[in-house]
């Protein structure tokens, strides 16, 4: 058995995105995610809610793990750090992540990938999948509240499915709102920036609204209730922590609220604000029975996106498959698999060197 | 900031063990683990009990995660697969593991290492640390029940501290017991193998006893109660799953039973068989107050070893430090840290290639 792992590093991700193209990448991910949700079988799959260590020494930080098992399709763990002082103190992103893919039969690590880019990508794709079921197909105006990293892939994912001719953007930080137009320049859609005093205009004119702020726990909602278009669809993306939410409860209550993953959304999402009876179908139910929910397109709807490990698994698998297709990544023999399984020190035997060296330089087949 | 990760692969582990020597490696680990336990501060450190996904598709398997945070000393996650059909079906070990080390300030992955060899090593070192407090220092006869991978490092770790002149070994599989002598040949101690019918002899003559079987849940205990030497110390290593234990409850009840990590041992260890009031001090209390427990050396004692993530962290850090010392390992820029933290697609910008390439070939300083 070739027991190497394919290491897909940052430069590999870059070369995959370049070779495949970001539109084709997003389209493939939306298609694969839809298929994976249609196929999702809760009698086989296991996706526990995200858990983490939250610490205050050496400073405030959070390390979370998102494990998931999908039967013969594999097992995955995403590890995610959330360290809000990174940008200012270290020139690093707030969220840094890696993903380990395992062969579910043996527990062998088949791939190790960056999870930071994948997280942004899959969050955009998830909103696209939910919006295809819930939003008015002819939606032309997209409102964006919070113009950080997640907003870029939100707008990208949605623009693959909807004929937007106008994006109205707001961010609490003026400089972030200002650079947004440039960051989504590749989409060739008219972008209007509004200030706090014109926020109601953004809200009133949106067919689809994305909220992807980093409002702190206890600060939400990030906008007041308002007279929404009858078919307004909201992708609420920013909630991912206890006490953190973005959408006014009155709007939630008159909308069909669909969480990505109910158990997690009631802990960390907009669903924290609702009673169990006020929560609609989850993303799986929605996609598996899309026809039944088509009528919801003409009524207010909310996709409560907290981040479902299925999305990470599908996105990581896609990058992994592309890496093999374009010859990106390196095979590394990281696990010590000694020649005598009953003797840890047998790794010292000479022929082990040969095996490890051979594995290290082995070709594509895994 | 140099945001690369040091990848320490199987060949690197081999070259570290060769360069440092297995005795020096075990001695360093025992010393570092003792220091780390003395320093352990529960008001800063967070070590949740091990949790896992237990599945039956495509076949019986278990994937576990062991996260831990130690303040400014770092954060770690060990991922461990347990797939019992590996040796026969795939020529792979039952337990396969990798360890991710994080900078606790930023969540940046500083190191990725094999966890399989480290697990065997640290389990041996942990028994040595516990036995130094609890066992008779002049112990000459070591009994071993279960002669698989863990037994090798148990015997190695203990032999660094005790003047054994005799090891008596038993395994339910005759071939495993037979090869044991050869596997611990590097220790130069007389090894006697006993069959099932002479197990009582092994038990009666042991000053220290190690149980490291893979008895299935519900099968234990793996030996009957017996007339033990008054100072018998048992290192019970095999229990690591609900319903799995090795030691007869009567022996536990007349012994001072010290778990590595109480919360986990009452779930998965020998402590499953006991009431809370019957459980003695944990490894931390034992080491931090070793003098108070010196009198226990002349009475029966049991170290209930389920595997504490502190041990993994110390062992992984030791390998990581040795890798830097001997120039083993490779620096890889796995995390996508785009030039504009607010734009995931900025990784496509030309200068990112330069950064990633530079990081990839960067020298030792992390």
């Amino acid at each position: 058995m070739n027991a190497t792992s394919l290491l897909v590093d940052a430069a590999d991700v870059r070369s995959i995105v370049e070779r495949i193209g970001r539109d084709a990448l997003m389209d493939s991910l939306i298609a694969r995610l839809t298929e994976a949700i249609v196929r999702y079988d809760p009698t086989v799959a296991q996706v526990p809610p995200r858990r983490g260590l939250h610490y205050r020494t050496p400073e405030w930080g959070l390390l979370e793990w998102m494990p998931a098992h999908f039967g013969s399709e594999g097992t995955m763990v995403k590890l995610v750090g959330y360290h809000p002082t990174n940008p200012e103190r270290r020139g690093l992103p707030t969220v840094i992540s890696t993903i380990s893919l395992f062969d579910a039969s043996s527990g062998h690590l088949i791939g190790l990938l960056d999870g930071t880019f994948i997280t942004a990508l899959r969050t955009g794709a998830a909103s696209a999948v939910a919006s295809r079921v819930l939003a008015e197909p002819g939606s032309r105006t997209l409102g964006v509240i919070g113009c950080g990293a997640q907003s870029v892939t939100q707008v990208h994912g949605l623009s693959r499915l909807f004929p937007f001719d106008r994006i109205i953007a707001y961010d609490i930080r003026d400089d972030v709102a200002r650079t947004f137009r440039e960051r989504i320049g590749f989409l060739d859609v008219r972008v209007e920036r509004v200030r706090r005093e014109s926020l109601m205009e953004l809200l009133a004119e949106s067919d689809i609204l994305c909220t992807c702020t980093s409002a702190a726990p206890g600060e939400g909602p990030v906008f007041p209730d308002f007279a929404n278009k009858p078919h307004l669809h909201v992708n609420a993306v920013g909630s991912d922590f206890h006490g953190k939410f973005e959408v006014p409860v009155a709007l939630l209550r008159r909308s069909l609220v669909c969480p990505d993953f109910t158990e997690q959304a009631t802990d960390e999402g907009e669903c924290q604000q609702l009673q169990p009876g006020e929560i609609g179908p989850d993303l799986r139910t929605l996609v598996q029975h899309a026809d039944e929910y088509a009528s919801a397109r003409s009524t207010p709807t909310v996709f409560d996106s907290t981040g479902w490990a299925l999305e990470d698994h599908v996105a990581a698998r896609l990058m992994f498959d592309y890496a093999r297709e374009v010859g990106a990544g390196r095979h590394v023999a990281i696990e010590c698999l000694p020649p005598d399984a009953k003797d840890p020190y047998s790794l010292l035997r000479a022929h082990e060197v040969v095996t490890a060296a051979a594995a290290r330089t082995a070709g594509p087949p895994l």
Side-chain angles (χ1 to χ4, degrees), chain A:
Chain A
M1 160 148 194
N2 181 343
T4 58
S5 312
L6 187 66
L7 176 73
V8 180
D9 74 9
D12 296 320
V13 169
R14 179 181 185 282
S15 85
I16 292 166
V17 181
E18 268 187 341
R19 294 273 293 270
I20 306 301
R22 56 187 139 187
D23 286 351
L25 185 64
M26 184 59 89
D27 291 349
S28 298
L29 181 54
I30 292 170
R32 279 226 200 170
L33 181 56
T34 306
E35 281 163 36
I37 296 173
V38 167
R39 260 195 339 264
Y40 185 85
D41 177 358
T43 66
V44 168
Q46 292 185 53
V47 185
R50 177 168 51 219
R51 291 284 177 262
L53 287 174
H54 180 190
Y55 44 83
R56 293 177 189 280
T57 310
E59 53 186 280
W60 197 101
L62 178 62
L63 183 79
E64 297 182 309
W65 47 96
M66 297 176 72
H69 171 73
F70 302 99
S72 50
E73 293 176 38
T75 306
M76 178 210 73
V77 180
K78 175 163 114 166
L79 300 176
V80 199
Y82 185 83
H83 295 80
T85 61
N86 274 353
E88 309 231 325
R89 293 206 194 148
R90 296 171 199 95
L92 290 175
T94 298
V95 173
I96 305 182
S97 169
T98 48
I99 295 179
S100 297
L101 294 175
F102 297 94
D103 176 280
S105 302
S106 66
H108 164 59
L109 179 76
I110 58 169
L112 182 78
L113 305 92
D114 159 71
T116 314
F117 179 73
I118 282 175
T119 298
L121 206 67
R122 63 81 156 142
T123 309
S127 286
V129 170
S131 300
R132 180 153 52 191
V133 181
L134 295 173
E136 171 57 43
S139 294
R140 296 199 162 263
T141 300
L142 173 65
V144 176
I145 297 182
C147 299
Q150 302 304 324
S151 69
V152 174
T153 48
Q154 286 296 307
V155 173
H156 185 207
L158 291 167
S159 75
R160 302 303 301 158
L161 302 182
F162 296 91
F164 299 127
D165 52 21
R166 191 179 172 212
I167 294 174
I168 315 179
Y170 169 74
D171 196 286
I172 196 168
R173 284 178 53 181
D174 234 34
D175 56 324
V176 177
R178 233 183 346 254
T179 61
F180 179 62
R181 181 177 318 195
E182 190 185 319
R183 284 180 277 131
I184 61 163
F186 69 98
L187 290 174
D188 203 28
V189 183
R190 184 158 57 100
V191 181
E192 294 163 31
R193 173 164 60 95
V194 297
R195 295 179 190 277
R196 175 113 214 141
E197 54 272 23
S198 310
L199 188 54
M200 295 314 279
E201 187 187 315
L202 179 160
L203 293 165
E205 297 186 17
S206 293
D207 298 307
I208 299 181
L209 174 66
C210 288
T211 58
C212 24
T213 70
S214 48
E219 277 183 11
V222 298
F223 58 89
D225 195 18
F226 67 103
N228 55 283
K229 288 194 180 172
H231 58 262
L232 173 74
H233 171 68
V234 181
N235 295 301
V237 169
S239 297
D240 57 1
F241 202 76
H242 191 72
K244 191 171 165 187
F245 51 83
E246 297 176 311
V247 180
V249 69
L251 176 56
L252 292 179
R253 290 217 169 105
R254 65 177 179 272
S255 304
L256 180 70
V257 178
C258 303
D260 49 2
F261 177 20
T262 309
E263 201 177 340
Q264 190 169 279
T266 52
D267 254 19
E268 307 187 354
E270 297 301 327
C271 288
Q272 292 177 92
Q273 303 187 71
L274 298 177
Q275 297 301 312
E278 298 174 311
I279 299 171
D282 63 12
L283 186 59
R284 176 172 74 87
T285 310
L286 215 56
V287 171
Q288 289 183 348
H289 308 275
D291 289 348
E292 292 173 32
Y293 294 99
S295 60
R297 287 175 192 157
S298 51
T299 69
T301 52
V302 175
F303 174 49
D304 183 8
S305 174
T306 58
W308 183 20
L310 172 75
E311 300 155 8
D312 296 299
H313 185 249
V314 171
R317 276 279 172 178
L318 180 68
M319 293 303 279
F320 183 78
D321 291 350
Y322 275 136
R324 295 202 286 184
E325 191 180 314
V326 308
R330 273 168 292 174
H331 291 269
V332 292
I334 183 161
E335 299 154 333
C336 278
L337 310 171
D340 177 355
K342 301 222 175 293
D343 183 7
Y345 292 127
S346 65
L347 66 86
L348 292 170
R349 283 186 217 155
H351 66 87
E352 170 68 8
V353 196
V354 180
T355 315
R360 194 191 280 203
T361 56
L366 267 190

